Amino acid sequence: MKILVVGANGQVGKHAVSMIQEKEGLEARAMIRKQEQASYFEDLGAETVLKDLEKDDIDAISEAAEGVDAVVFAAGSGPKTGPDKTMLIDLDGAVKTIEATKKAGVKRFVMISSFDTTREAIQSAPSSFAPYVAAKHYADGWLRDTDLDYTIVHPGALTNDPATGTVTAGETVERGEIPREDVASVIVSVLENDSTIGKEFQVVGGVKPVQEAVTSL
Ligand code: NAP
């Protein structure tokens, strides 16, 4: 199974590519936006493709998805940029990736969303965070309205703590933190479990082994 990881050079993205490469039967194609980022992925034996979610259109992004079996959206504008980039990456970049996936004839799509992307969460978010929650809300909604085999992962606050291999996952769980490396394990487990198709779930640090938590959703 070949997986296009969009936002591969990100912190979750790098863990995800490296875990995919380690798994028998899985291989990654890393979508990055700078040539100098490629060697990290080539050293892992992963393919790379250069695309920019802001500058490239749906046709160009769909070329990156040609021939893969699944697309993982792990990109994000990050906390250092303003609402303009939130709109262009977290919303429009996600929607362009969804449309590009359809155009490439790929069915499986795994979205890394935010913990709570409900309408209520937009309303109650601090004004600096609300545009991000709104972007994620509409990107998730766009995906739900497709006929893609999607899974939407809603992780809690991401940390760079070492992986624990254990999580709490469910339709709604108590807000908490989760190491980025554990989010990457969750993504790999989701890709390996078609029972997650059409589902979405919140995930934070916990005590259940990732595989068990994902298969019992
Ligand atoms: P990250 O380290 O900031 O990585 C984001 C990636 O997106 C980077 O590789 C970046 O590329 C890429 N990107 C940005 N603009 C792009 C563009 N125009 N074209 C192509 N790629 C672009 O993010 P993370 O910490 O791994 O988080 C992963 C996901 O989790 C994000 O979607 C985030 O919104 C979501 N999330 C975060 C939290 C949290 O607590 N922070 C909680 C829940 C969910 P470069 O490497 O080239 O800059």
Side-chain angles (χ1 to χ4, degrees), residues 6-13 31-34 37 51-55 73-79 88-90 112-115 132 136 153-160 180 183:
V6 175
N9 194 58
Q11 300 167 89
V12 171
M31 191 177 121
I32 50 176
R33 54 177 172 162
K34 293 177 197 130
Q37 296 167 342
K51 299 287 173 196
D52 189 309
L53 288 171
E54 199 178 331
K55 295 177 190 143
F73 187 85
S77 60
L88 290 169
I89 310 301
D90 302 279
I112 306 185
S113 182
S114 180
F115 184 71
Y132 170 74
K136 289 294 209 185
V153 181
H154 296 275
L158 305 181
T159 73
N160 288 328
R180 286 180 168 87
V183 174

Side-chain angles (χ1 to χ4, degrees), residues 20-213:
I20 288 167
Q21 288 302 108
E22 279 166 15
K23 281 263 172 178
E24 187 78 32
L26 298 188
E27 49 180 328
R29 181 183 292 166
M31 191 177 121
I32 50 176
R33 54 177 172 162
K34 293 177 197 130
Q35 185 55 50
E36 60 264 32
Q37 296 167 342
S39 61
Y40 174 89
F41 301 99
E42 286 160 3
D43 289 349
L44 293 172
E47 282 179 28
T48 58
V49 59
L50 278 181
K51 299 287 173 196
D52 189 309
L53 288 171
E54 199 178 331
K55 295 177 190 143
D56 285 311
D57 63 12
I58 292 168
D59 284 350
I61 299 167
S62 80
E63 287 166 15
E66 281 298 331
V68 303
D69 304 288
V71 173
V72 172
F73 187 85
S77 60
K80 290 184 187 139
T81 53
D84 53 342
K85 297 294 181 197
T86 304
M87 211 276 273
L88 290 169
I89 310 301
D90 302 279
L91 175 51
D92 197 44
V95 168
K96 284 201 282 188
T97 305
I98 294 164
E99 290 305 302
T101 300
K102 286 161 57 181
K103 200 172 171 74
V106 180
K107 288 293 281 179
R108 188 77 172 106
F109 195 102
V110 180
M111 172 71 93
I112 306 185
S113 182
S114 180
F115 184 71
D116 185 352
T117 60
T118 56
R119 163 135 298 291
E120 295 70 33
I122 305 174
Q123 298 306 140
S124 60
S127 61
S128 60
F129 194 56
Y132 170 74
V133 182
K136 289 294 209 185
H137 170 85
Y138 287 105
D140 289 353
W142 194 278
L143 180 56
R144 281 183 210 111
D145 286 345
T146 66
D147 62 0
L148 293 177
D149 291 339
Y150 71 81
T151 305
I152 304 177
V153 181
H154 296 275
L158 305 181
T159 73
N160 288 328
D161 293 342
T164 63
T166 55
V167 295
T168 296
E171 205 174 320
T172 56
V173 302
E174 207 172 304
R175 196 176 275 276
E177 294 184 339
I178 179 167
R180 286 180 168 87
E181 209 173 340
D182 283 331
V183 174
S185 297
V186 167
I187 293 165
V188 171
S189 196
V190 161
L191 288 163
E192 292 182 319
N193 285 286
D194 282 353
S195 62
T196 59
I197 289 172
K199 291 188 182 161
E200 54 188 290
F201 61 92
Q202 294 181 328
V203 61
V204 296
V207 294
K208 239 187 202 183
V210 166
Q211 170 84 352
E212 199 184 316

